[in-house]
Amino acid sequence: MITLLVVDDHPVVRNGLTGMFASDPDFEVVGEAGDGDEAVRLARALRPDVILMDLRMPGTDGVTAIGSLSRLGLSSRVLVLTTYDTDSYVVPAIEAGATGYLLKDAPRDELLRAVRAAARGESVLSPAVAGKLMNRVRAPGAGPLSQRELQVLELVAAGKNNREAAATLFISEATVKTHLLNIYAKLGVGDRAAAVAEAFHRGLLTPKG
């Protein structure tokens, strides 16, 4: 079972999300918070697997809370769930340590898949956010996948998770996540499975054996 902390300043949104996850036996909402400070306090006490984090909240905002959680070194994964998909929100949230970024209009099944992926430590982006990052990476000087990004992608294709890929390449898990987000943006995809499929399609990866 995946444990969740739901963070949003609107009670109606929190109640809706809690009700949605309550209907699936794979999930348990262990707490709710209405601002970033409360989110950090509850995360330290409850140690949820995944934190669903809104960004714009009164008091301490989501990006500040994500940064605080990252500095605490908690194992909880933060999945941003917001209505904002501009660079000014997406990039700071990811840089602060968010594992994924979804929009609130995401279908139920997409949200459930994203939470499962986040619990496994996998990065996931909504299609709109992936497109934003792709446009950002396509700015002058972006270029193709780097050698390190290809190495990360090969390990992902071999079934390695972020932690295993980091150990194999002697880099941090956070660095692997950054490489993956760059890969998603350059390939125009939103998750690791789609990245692997697109890499094979483009001939960046070749089947083994």
Side-chain angles (χ1 to χ4, degrees):
M1 179 178 286
I2 297 170
T3 55
L4 285 155
L5 172 63
V6 176
V7 185
D8 196 289
D9 60 320
H10 295 100
V12 141
V13 174
R14 295 200 305 271
N15 291 342
L17 289 169
T18 298
M20 184 185 75
F21 286 106
S23 67
D24 191 310
D26 290 344
F27 302 96
E28 180 187 6
V29 176
V30 294
E32 297 179 21
D35 61 54
D37 274 341
E38 189 179 10
V40 173
R41 286 197 303 273
L42 287 177
R44 294 181 71 174
L46 300 171
R47 304 293 170 121
D49 297 316
V50 177
I51 301 168
L52 280 178
M53 181 79 72
D54 190 18
L55 292 183
R56 286 188 64 175
M57 296 178 287
T60 301
D61 62 65
V63 171
T64 302
I66 294 166
S68 297
L69 291 166
S70 295
R71 287 189 293 275
L72 287 171
L74 300 182
S75 61
S76 303
R77 311 291 185 172
V78 178
L79 181 60
V80 171
L81 185 64
T82 185
T83 55
Y84 304 99
D85 65 353
T86 60
D87 283 358
S88 60
Y89 287 99
V90 175
V91 175
I94 291 171
E95 289 178 342
T99 295
Y101 199 111
L102 283 187
L103 301 180
K104 286 181 178 176
D105 61 1
R108 176 182 182 276
D109 289 347
E110 181 182 332
L111 179 55
L112 296 183
R113 281 196 305 272
V115 171
R116 289 189 176 97
R120 295 192 297 267
E122 298 174 7
S123 302
V124 61
L125 302 173
S126 74
V129 170
K132 294 275 185 185
L133 288 179
M134 181 170 63
N135 290 336
R136 184 184 178 90
V137 171
R138 279 178 173 169
L145 295 188
S146 69
Q147 189 61 39
R148 180 62 94 190
E149 288 164 355
L150 283 171
Q151 290 172 338
V152 169
L153 197 51
E154 286 171 354
L155 291 169
V156 168
K160 303 288 188 185
N161 62 29
N162 288 5
R163 186 171 288 113
E164 291 166 339
T168 300
L169 297 173
F170 301 103
I171 58 179
S172 72
E173 195 174 344
T175 300
V176 169
K177 183 175 69 175
T178 299
H179 285 316
L180 279 171
L181 292 172
N182 287 335
I183 290 166
Y184 294 173
K186 289 179 179 180
L187 298 182
V189 299
D191 60 47
R192 37 201 309 130
V196 170
E198 181 64 18
F200 278 117
H201 176 71
R202 296 189 186 192
L204 300 172
L205 297 175
T206 54
K208 303 295 183 183

